[in-house]
Amino acid sequence: VFVLLFQAKSCICHMCGAHLNRLHSCLYCVFFGCFTKKHIHEHAKTKRHNLAIDLLYGGIYCFMCQDYIYDKDMEQIAKEEQRKAWKLQAFTPTVVSHYQCTMTGIGEKYSTWEPTKRELELLRHNPKRRKITTNCTIGLRGLINLGNTCFMNCIVQALTHTPLLRDFFLSDRHKCEMQSPSSCLVCEMSTLFQEFYSGHRSPHIPYRLLHLVWTHARHLAGYEQQDAHEFLIAALDVLHRHCKGDDNGKKANNPNHCNCIIDQIFTGGLQSDVTCQVCHGVSTTIDPFWDISLDLPGSSTPFWPLSPGSDGSVVNGESHVSGTTTLTDCLRRFTRPEHLGSSAKIKCSGCHSYQESTKQLTMKKLPIVACFHLKRFEHSAKLRRKITTYVSFPLELDMTPFMASSKESRMNGQYQQPTDSLNNDNKYSLFAVVNHQGTLESGHYTSFIRQHKDQWFKCDDAIITKASIKDVLDSEGYLLFYHKQFLEYE
């Protein structure tokens, strides 16, 4: 099999040219064909070559039986060839670059773990397993402040308690794509997750993380206080660049067209509809986002009036107190139609002339983790100040009213508030809150993180203390992190 693969001139289907669609190789001649599009089936029928190997898993398919053949010896050969392929990749990169999709296709990137004799012996003598209970503190660990690094510590706490990101790193899914793993921020994050969930209780010193951030995001270098939101975006950007997805990124199901773990979890799609006021033609663009920045009352930007629910009713799970601004209010303002005015005319593709228009933002695609940035720091030519307006935010958030599909339904007169059973995909749970105490010039960042379903802890650098839900919801709120409910694994 190994020799046969090297005889191939290319690792693509000989009929359609694709290298995906479950590529199989004929075991009688040098022929590659898609299993999904049945090109390998056509070859088998025409040539009567009834055996082929699956290049992803190494399984042998019999076209007479129309099934895969399980043979212990063949399975062992497939595993051995997989090991040879990875060794070849390590020592002869120029050869493998040509044959990479064939050679590394034998077996998955992350092979299954099989215990050694020594490990089996240890398991037999240690039958007790560590059980994760509701009062378990594994995953809770303080971070030493290395000199005004509280802005970094609070974001690290939020990231290490992001459910799907935690599952990714603790299952050892990261395969470094960089020439020097020591300079890879994703490798450091992987180590950080191992440290957090190791069971150690002493505070961790994140000096390597800080060094890598300074190296790859030089605008954050130095010991002066930085903005936690700016650090979050810079960290996601560097992680995205270091955690390169495979070559099929353009087919990924997110607006960044990247399938790395960062984009899979954090990237959403923001739809912008610009409507001409003369012909009512609509120009639509969709842009990727990692977070949503929301204006607050008290800023120099005129704020939209409070929602109809501010008379004491409950909207989106938020209990409104008269005069209190809610997260829903901020989202309604963010997604309201905005008249651009005569000073911002656009050239309408329908009228073929410059016309006044309205612009409206909605959510085309929701990310797994929705991060909301409450714009508390105002910088303008006239003033620099912090906005301390209290914003009420819920433990559970339904984003359906702010979706582009909901807007289209309303315009067609068909919109109805979906029932809970039909709306789970747009429902989120709060799992982290970053707060800022103090002034614009001098302040301190802390965070609340959710350990289990209803257990919250306050992280103040090296100090971790238990917190109540009331403590969380009463906090001022600067960055709010929500996770899709149906993708949480608690």
Side-chain angles (χ1 to χ4, degrees):
V1 174
F2 192 74
V3 174
L4 179 66
L5 295 177
F6 250 64
Q7 291 175 353
K9 291 182 180 178
S10 59
C11 52
I12 60 175
C13 175
H14 286 184
M15 295 184 73
C16 69
H19 65 274
L20 298 174
N21 301 325
R22 291 179 61 193
L23 201 63
H24 283 56
S25 173
C26 176
L27 289 180
Y28 295 81
C29 66
V30 180
F31 180 88
F32 291 80
C34 299
F35 193 90
T36 305
K37 294 183 178 180
K38 297 191 180 298
H39 292 154
I40 191 69
H41 297 69
E42 295 173 28
H43 173 78
K45 185 177 180 181
T46 304
K47 300 288 186 179
R48 294 188 179 180
H49 293 176
N50 291 316
L51 292 175
I53 181 170
D54 180 344
L55 293 184
L56 179 61
Y57 299 104
I60 305 297
Y61 189 85
C62 175
F63 290 95
M64 293 187 72
C65 304
Q66 295 186 358
D67 200 357
Y68 287 95
I69 301 167
Y70 174 76
D71 182 87
K72 190 174 182 180
D73 293 334
M74 291 301 298
E75 186 180 15
Q76 191 59 40
I77 290 171
K79 289 180 180 178
E80 185 59 33
E81 297 308 322
Q82 179 190 9
R83 281 191 285 271
K84 287 181 183 178
W86 285 111
K87 284 181 181 178
L88 183 66
Q89 185 181 17
F91 294 110
T92 56
T94 54
V95 174
V96 173
S97 63
H98 184 69
Y99 294 101
Q100 189 170 9
C101 64
T102 298
M103 299 308 299
T104 59
I106 304 176
E108 292 181 280
K109 240 180 205 180
Y110 310 102
S111 57
T112 55
W113 169 68
E114 293 184 10
T116 62
K117 288 183 179 180
R118 172 63 178 156
E119 288 168 337
L120 287 170
E121 190 70 20
L122 288 170
L123 289 170
R124 272 195 295 270
H125 286 86
N126 296 276
K128 289 186 178 181
R129 303 289 182 267
R130 177 172 278 176
K131 185 179 179 182
I132 303 298
T133 59
T134 53
N135 61 353
C136 178
T137 57
I138 293 176
L140 291 174
R141 197 166 183 185
L143 290 165
I144 297 294
N145 191 315
L146 300 174
N148 283 329
T149 58
C150 56
F151 69 92
M152 177 181 76
N153 291 348
C154 64
I155 297 301
V156 168
Q157 292 288 359
L159 292 178
T160 51
H161 289 88
T162 301
L164 217 58
L165 196 63
R166 173 198 63 201
D167 296 343
F168 175 85
F169 279 111
L170 293 185
S171 58
D172 198 22
R173 294 295 302 276
H174 171 56
K175 179 180 178 297
C176 188
E177 301 279 354
M178 298 185 66
Q179 291 182 344
S180 175
S182 62
S183 63
C184 176
L185 187 62
V186 192
C187 288
E188 178 57 28
M189 282 299 295
S190 184
T191 302
L192 202 63
F193 271 87
Q194 299 295 332
E195 288 286 346
F196 263 73
Y197 291 90
S198 64
H200 296 307
R201 301 177 70 94
S202 59
H204 179 65
I205 307 173
Y207 66 93
R208 291 189 71 252
L209 178 69
L210 182 64
H211 171 71
L212 286 173
V213 170
W214 284 1
T215 302
H216 298 289
R218 294 191 177 277
H219 62 289
L220 295 174
Y223 287 101
E224 64 271 15
Q225 181 65 272
Q226 302 287 351
D227 179 38
H229 173 247
E230 189 176 0
F231 176 83
L232 170 67
I233 299 304
L236 291 179
D237 178 59
V238 177
L239 286 168
H240 158 72
R241 287 190 276 119
H242 289 189
C243 188
K244 190 180 83 173
D246 61 35
D247 294 335
N248 306 316
K250 290 185 178 179
K251 295 187 178 181
N253 186 27
N254 67 66
N256 252 357
H257 301 304
C258 176
N259 60 355
C260 77
I261 189 61
I262 299 302
D263 279 301
Q264 287 184 48
I265 293 176
F266 293 95
T267 299
L270 191 64
Q271 179 168 315
S272 173
D273 295 317
V274 178
T275 306
C276 174
Q277 294 297 284
V278 177
C279 70
H280 302 291
V282 181
S283 173
T284 299
T285 57
I286 298 173
D287 296 307
F289 69 87
W290 279 332
D291 72 315
I292 297 293
S293 293
L294 301 171
D295 288 316
L296 300 180
S299 67
S300 57
T301 306
F303 197 81
W304 200 42
L306 294 176
S307 65
S310 59
D311 56 358
S313 63
V314 175
V315 176
N316 209 350
E318 296 168 325
S319 181
H320 291 255
V321 179
S322 181
T324 300
T325 302
T326 69
L327 179 61
T328 301
D329 292 326
C330 297
L331 284 167
R332 283 180 170 170
R333 183 192 185 281
F334 182 80
T335 56
R336 82 199 192 287
E338 177 187 3
H339 185 68
L340 297 180
S342 57
S343 60
K345 290 182 178 181
I346 61 159
K347 189 171 184 179
C348 175
S349 57
C351 301
H352 302 290
S353 60
Y354 287 91
Q355 303 291 348
E356 290 189 23
S357 58
T358 59
K359 178 181 178 180
Q360 185 172 12
L361 299 174
T362 49
M363 309 294 166
K364 179 63 176 178
K365 177 175 170 47
L366 291 172
I368 292 173
V369 169
C371 175
F372 300 105
H373 164 226
L374 304 183
K375 294 163 71 173
R376 296 199 174 276
F377 303 132
E378 189 169 46
H379 303 269
S380 66
K382 294 182 179 179
L383 72 161
R384 294 176 70 253
R385 59 174 181 150
K386 179 184 174 183
I387 300 167
T388 58
T389 305
Y390 172 70
V391 175
S392 169
F393 49 91
L395 286 173
E396 296 186 347
L397 177 68
D398 186 356
M399 289 292 290
T400 304
F402 313 110
M403 297 294 293
S405 55
S406 298
K407 174 195 170 185
E408 290 160 7
S409 298
R410 284 193 296 270
M411 289 176 68
N412 296 330
Q414 301 171 344
Y415 180 76
Q416 291 181 340
Q417 185 68 29
T419 61
D420 289 345
S421 61
L422 299 175
N423 196 27
N424 290 334
D425 191 43
N426 299 335
K427 285 188 174 179
Y428 288 80
S429 294
L430 184 72
F431 72 91
V433 178
V434 171
N435 287 291
H436 179 270
Q437 291 87 39
T439 64
L440 190 65
E441 292 76 20
S442 175
H444 180 61
Y445 287 102
T446 59
S447 58
F448 288 105
I449 56 96
R450 189 190 63 188
Q451 172 73 348
H452 297 288
K453 185 64 178 175
D454 294 316
Q455 291 196 20
W456 287 83
F457 291 85
K458 183 178 181 180
C459 304
D460 186 350
D461 288 332
I463 302 171
I464 309 289
T465 54
K466 195 168 179 59
S468 67
I469 293 176
K470 186 177 185 299
D471 293 332
V472 178
L473 298 182
D474 285 349
S475 66
E476 191 176 83
Y478 178 51
L479 298 173
L480 310 175
F481 294 85
Y482 286 85
H483 198 283
K484 275 195 176 184
Q485 287 182 1
F486 79 97
L487 285 173
E488 289 188 284
Y489 302 102
E490 287 296 332

